[in-house]
Short mmCIF file of all heavy atoms in Angstrom, two decimals:
data_model
loop_
_atom_site.label_atom_id
_atom_site.label_comp_id
_atom_site.label_asym_id
_atom_site.label_seq_id
_atom_site.Cartn_x
_atom_site.Cartn_y
_atom_site.Cartn_z
N ILE A 758 0.86 -1.20 0.00
CA ILE A 758 0.05 0.01 -0.02
C ILE A 758 0.87 1.26 0.06
O ILE A 758 0.67 2.19 -0.79
CB ILE A 758 -0.99 0.11 1.25
CG1 ILE A 758 -1.99 -1.12 1.14
CG2 ILE A 758 -1.65 1.28 1.32
CD1 ILE A 758 -2.69 -1.41 2.42
N VAL A 759 1.81 1.38 0.89
CA VAL A 759 2.73 2.60 1.06
C VAL A 759 3.93 2.60 0.24
O VAL A 759 4.60 3.64 0.17
CB VAL A 759 2.86 2.90 2.52
CG1 VAL A 759 1.63 3.00 3.32
CG2 VAL A 759 3.85 1.94 3.21
N GLY A 760 4.38 1.46 -0.27
CA GLY A 760 5.54 1.42 -1.20
C GLY A 760 6.86 1.25 -0.41
O GLY A 760 7.88 1.38 -1.12
N ARG A 761 6.88 0.87 0.85
CA ARG A 761 8.08 0.52 1.66
C ARG A 761 7.70 -0.28 2.77
O ARG A 761 6.60 -0.23 3.33
CB ARG A 761 8.83 1.86 1.96
CG ARG A 761 8.05 2.70 2.95
CD ARG A 761 8.96 3.98 3.29
NE ARG A 761 8.13 4.93 4.06
CZ ARG A 761 8.08 4.91 5.32
NH1 ARG A 761 8.78 4.07 6.01
NH2 ARG A 761 7.29 5.80 5.98
N ARG A 762 8.77 -1.03 3.27
CA ARG A 762 8.42 -1.87 4.36
C ARG A 762 8.71 -1.14 5.71
O ARG A 762 9.81 -0.47 5.84
CB ARG A 762 9.43 -3.15 4.32
CG ARG A 762 9.04 -4.08 3.20
CD ARG A 762 10.06 -5.25 3.14
NE ARG A 762 9.99 -6.18 4.34
CZ ARG A 762 9.00 -7.07 4.50
NH1 ARG A 762 8.06 -7.28 3.62
NH2 ARG A 762 9.06 -7.82 5.50
N ARG A 763 7.80 -1.21 6.61
CA ARG A 763 7.92 -0.51 7.87
C ARG A 763 8.00 -1.58 9.06
O ARG A 763 7.20 -1.58 9.84
CB ARG A 763 6.81 0.42 8.12
CG ARG A 763 6.64 1.50 7.03
CD ARG A 763 5.62 2.56 7.28
NE ARG A 763 4.24 1.95 7.32
CZ ARG A 763 3.15 2.57 7.85
NH1 ARG A 763 3.29 3.85 8.30
NH2 ARG A 763 1.99 2.10 7.79
N GLU A 764 9.04 -2.45 9.09
CA GLU A 764 9.15 -3.50 9.95
C GLU A 764 9.17 -3.13 11.46
O GLU A 764 8.51 -3.66 12.25
CB GLU A 764 10.28 -4.37 9.65
CG GLU A 764 10.15 -5.15 8.33
CD GLU A 764 11.15 -6.07 8.00
OE1 GLU A 764 11.77 -6.60 8.88
OE2 GLU A 764 11.52 -6.23 6.80
N GLU A 765 10.06 -2.12 11.76
CA GLU A 765 10.17 -1.68 13.12
C GLU A 765 8.83 -1.12 13.65
O GLU A 765 8.47 -1.36 14.80
CB GLU A 765 11.40 -0.62 13.27
CG GLU A 765 11.71 -0.42 14.70
CD GLU A 765 12.11 -1.67 15.56
OE1 GLU A 765 12.51 -2.62 15.03
OE2 GLU A 765 11.69 -1.65 16.76
N TYR A 766 8.12 -0.25 12.85
CA TYR A 766 6.89 0.37 13.26
C TYR A 766 5.93 -0.73 13.69
O TYR A 766 5.32 -0.83 14.70
CB TYR A 766 6.35 1.14 12.08
CG TYR A 766 4.84 1.59 12.30
CD1 TYR A 766 4.62 2.70 13.25
CD2 TYR A 766 3.87 0.96 11.71
CE1 TYR A 766 3.36 3.06 13.46
CE2 TYR A 766 2.52 1.31 11.90
CZ TYR A 766 2.30 2.37 12.72
OH TYR A 766 0.97 2.74 13.02
N PHE A 767 5.82 -1.83 12.81
CA PHE A 767 4.87 -2.84 13.07
C PHE A 767 5.34 -3.78 14.21
O PHE A 767 4.50 -4.42 14.85
CB PHE A 767 4.52 -3.67 11.79
CG PHE A 767 3.63 -2.86 10.89
CD1 PHE A 767 4.02 -2.29 9.71
CD2 PHE A 767 2.25 -2.59 11.20
CE1 PHE A 767 3.19 -1.56 8.93
CE2 PHE A 767 1.36 -1.94 10.49
CZ PHE A 767 1.89 -1.32 9.23
N ARG A 768 6.67 -3.98 14.35
CA ARG A 768 7.11 -4.81 15.39
C ARG A 768 6.60 -4.19 16.68
O ARG A 768 6.21 -4.94 17.54
CB ARG A 768 8.61 -4.91 15.40
CG ARG A 768 9.26 -5.85 16.33
CD ARG A 768 10.79 -6.01 16.30
NE ARG A 768 11.39 -5.84 14.86
CZ ARG A 768 11.39 -6.90 13.97
NH1 ARG A 768 10.78 -8.00 14.20
NH2 ARG A 768 11.90 -6.65 12.74
N VAL A 769 6.85 -2.82 16.94
CA VAL A 769 6.44 -2.17 18.15
C VAL A 769 4.88 -2.23 18.22
O VAL A 769 4.34 -2.60 19.31
CB VAL A 769 6.86 -0.71 18.13
CG1 VAL A 769 6.27 0.06 19.25
CG2 VAL A 769 8.35 -0.73 18.22
N LYS A 770 4.16 -1.98 17.20
CA LYS A 770 2.70 -1.91 17.26
C LYS A 770 2.04 -3.26 17.51
O LYS A 770 1.20 -3.40 18.33
CB LYS A 770 2.14 -1.30 15.93
CG LYS A 770 2.42 0.15 15.87
CD LYS A 770 1.67 0.96 16.86
CE LYS A 770 1.92 2.45 16.74
NZ LYS A 770 1.39 3.13 17.82
N LEU A 771 2.66 -4.30 16.90
CA LEU A 771 2.03 -5.63 17.17
C LEU A 771 2.39 -6.14 18.44
O LEU A 771 1.65 -6.84 19.14
CB LEU A 771 2.53 -6.61 15.98
CG LEU A 771 1.95 -6.28 14.66
CD1 LEU A 771 2.59 -7.22 13.62
CD2 LEU A 771 0.41 -6.54 14.66
N GLN A 772 3.59 -5.76 18.95
CA GLN A 772 3.95 -6.14 20.38
C GLN A 772 2.98 -5.53 21.36
O GLN A 772 2.52 -6.27 22.37
CB GLN A 772 5.44 -5.78 20.61
CG GLN A 772 6.13 -6.51 21.69
CD GLN A 772 7.69 -6.28 21.68
OE1 GLN A 772 8.03 -5.11 21.40
NE2 GLN A 772 8.49 -7.20 22.01
N GLU A 773 2.78 -4.25 21.14
CA GLU A 773 1.74 -3.58 22.07
C GLU A 773 0.37 -4.24 21.97
O GLU A 773 -0.34 -4.44 23.00
CB GLU A 773 1.46 -2.07 21.62
CG GLU A 773 2.65 -1.14 21.93
CD GLU A 773 2.47 0.21 21.41
OE1 GLU A 773 1.45 0.52 20.77
OE2 GLU A 773 3.47 1.11 21.52
N SER A 774 0.02 -4.56 20.75
CA SER A 774 -1.33 -5.21 20.53
C SER A 774 -1.43 -6.53 21.28
O SER A 774 -2.50 -6.81 21.87
CB SER A 774 -1.55 -5.39 19.09
OG SER A 774 -2.59 -6.22 18.85
N GLN A 775 -0.31 -7.28 21.21
CA GLN A 775 -0.42 -8.67 21.83
C GLN A 775 -0.28 -8.52 23.33
O GLN A 775 -0.76 -9.51 24.02
CB GLN A 775 0.73 -9.43 21.29
CG GLN A 775 0.60 -9.67 19.76
CD GLN A 775 -0.75 -10.18 19.29
OE1 GLN A 775 -1.13 -11.19 19.77
NE2 GLN A 775 -1.27 -9.65 18.35
N SER A 776 0.20 -7.48 23.84
CA SER A 776 0.36 -7.46 25.36
C SER A 776 -0.93 -6.95 26.02
O SER A 776 -1.10 -7.09 27.25
CB SER A 776 1.56 -6.46 25.70
OG SER A 776 1.25 -5.19 25.33
N GLN A 777 -1.96 -6.44 25.25
CA GLN A 777 -3.11 -6.05 25.84
C GLN A 777 -3.98 -7.21 26.22
O GLN A 777 -3.86 -8.27 25.64
CB GLN A 777 -3.92 -5.26 24.85
CG GLN A 777 -3.35 -3.90 24.44
CD GLN A 777 -3.97 -3.24 23.26
OE1 GLN A 777 -4.88 -3.77 22.71
NE2 GLN A 777 -3.66 -1.97 23.08
N THR A 778 -4.74 -7.06 27.29
CA THR A 778 -5.54 -8.17 27.81
C THR A 778 -7.02 -7.82 27.55
O THR A 778 -7.30 -6.69 27.21
CB THR A 778 -5.31 -8.41 29.34
OG1 THR A 778 -5.61 -7.26 29.93
CG2 THR A 778 -3.94 -8.84 29.61
N GLY A 779 -7.91 -8.70 27.71
CA GLY A 779 -9.34 -8.50 27.57
C GLY A 779 -9.69 -8.50 26.08
O GLY A 779 -9.11 -9.19 25.19
N ILE A 780 -10.65 -7.65 25.78
CA ILE A 780 -11.15 -7.64 24.38
C ILE A 780 -10.05 -6.99 23.42
O ILE A 780 -9.52 -5.87 23.76
CB ILE A 780 -12.47 -6.67 24.18
CG1 ILE A 780 -13.57 -7.39 25.14
CG2 ILE A 780 -12.90 -6.48 22.84
CD1 ILE A 780 -14.82 -6.63 25.22
N LYS A 781 -9.73 -7.51 22.37
CA LYS A 781 -8.66 -7.13 21.48
C LYS A 781 -9.25 -6.02 20.53
O LYS A 781 -10.39 -6.08 20.23
CB LYS A 781 -8.19 -8.19 20.67
CG LYS A 781 -7.55 -9.43 21.33
CD LYS A 781 -6.38 -8.92 22.12
CE LYS A 781 -5.79 -10.14 22.86
NZ LYS A 781 -4.74 -9.77 23.76
N VAL A 782 -8.38 -4.97 20.39
CA VAL A 782 -8.72 -3.94 19.38
C VAL A 782 -7.88 -3.94 18.20
O VAL A 782 -8.25 -2.98 17.34
CB VAL A 782 -8.78 -2.51 20.23
CG1 VAL A 782 -9.82 -2.49 21.24
CG2 VAL A 782 -7.46 -2.23 20.85
N SER A 783 -7.01 -4.70 18.00
CA SER A 783 -6.26 -4.85 16.71
C SER A 783 -6.81 -6.07 15.96
O SER A 783 -6.87 -7.14 16.61
CB SER A 783 -4.69 -4.91 16.96
OG SER A 783 -4.31 -3.59 17.45
N LEU A 784 -7.17 -5.95 14.74
CA LEU A 784 -7.91 -7.07 14.11
C LEU A 784 -7.27 -7.36 12.66
O LEU A 784 -6.66 -6.50 12.03
CB LEU A 784 -9.36 -6.57 13.91
CG LEU A 784 -10.09 -6.21 15.19
CD1 LEU A 784 -11.37 -5.51 14.84
CD2 LEU A 784 -10.32 -7.43 16.04
N ALA A 785 -7.57 -8.50 12.21
CA ALA A 785 -7.27 -9.02 10.90
C ALA A 785 -8.50 -9.49 10.11
O ALA A 785 -9.50 -9.87 10.84
CB ALA A 785 -6.26 -10.11 10.97
N ALA A 786 -8.47 -9.33 8.87
CA ALA A 786 -9.60 -9.83 8.06
C ALA A 786 -9.10 -10.81 7.10
O ALA A 786 -7.96 -10.62 6.39
CB ALA A 786 -10.24 -8.64 7.34
#
């Protein structure tokens, strides 16, 4: 979509997403 790989950004964001408990707010389709 954006034309470049943003691995570090997603590494941090996905780590935050996985550390949350309860109802998840990061989703996949």
Side-chain angles (χ1 to χ4, degrees):
I758 294 167
V759 302
R761 63 185 172 88
R762 292 179 65 82
R763 301 188 295 167
E764 291 184 34
E765 190 57 31
Y766 169 78
F767 285 109
R768 187 176 326 282
V769 170
K770 290 296 178 185
L771 290 172
Q772 204 167 34
E773 287 174 1
S774 166
Q775 299 307 310
S776 67
Q777 296 172 348
T778 58
I780 297 176
K781 300 297 182 186
V782 293
S783 291
L784 304 168

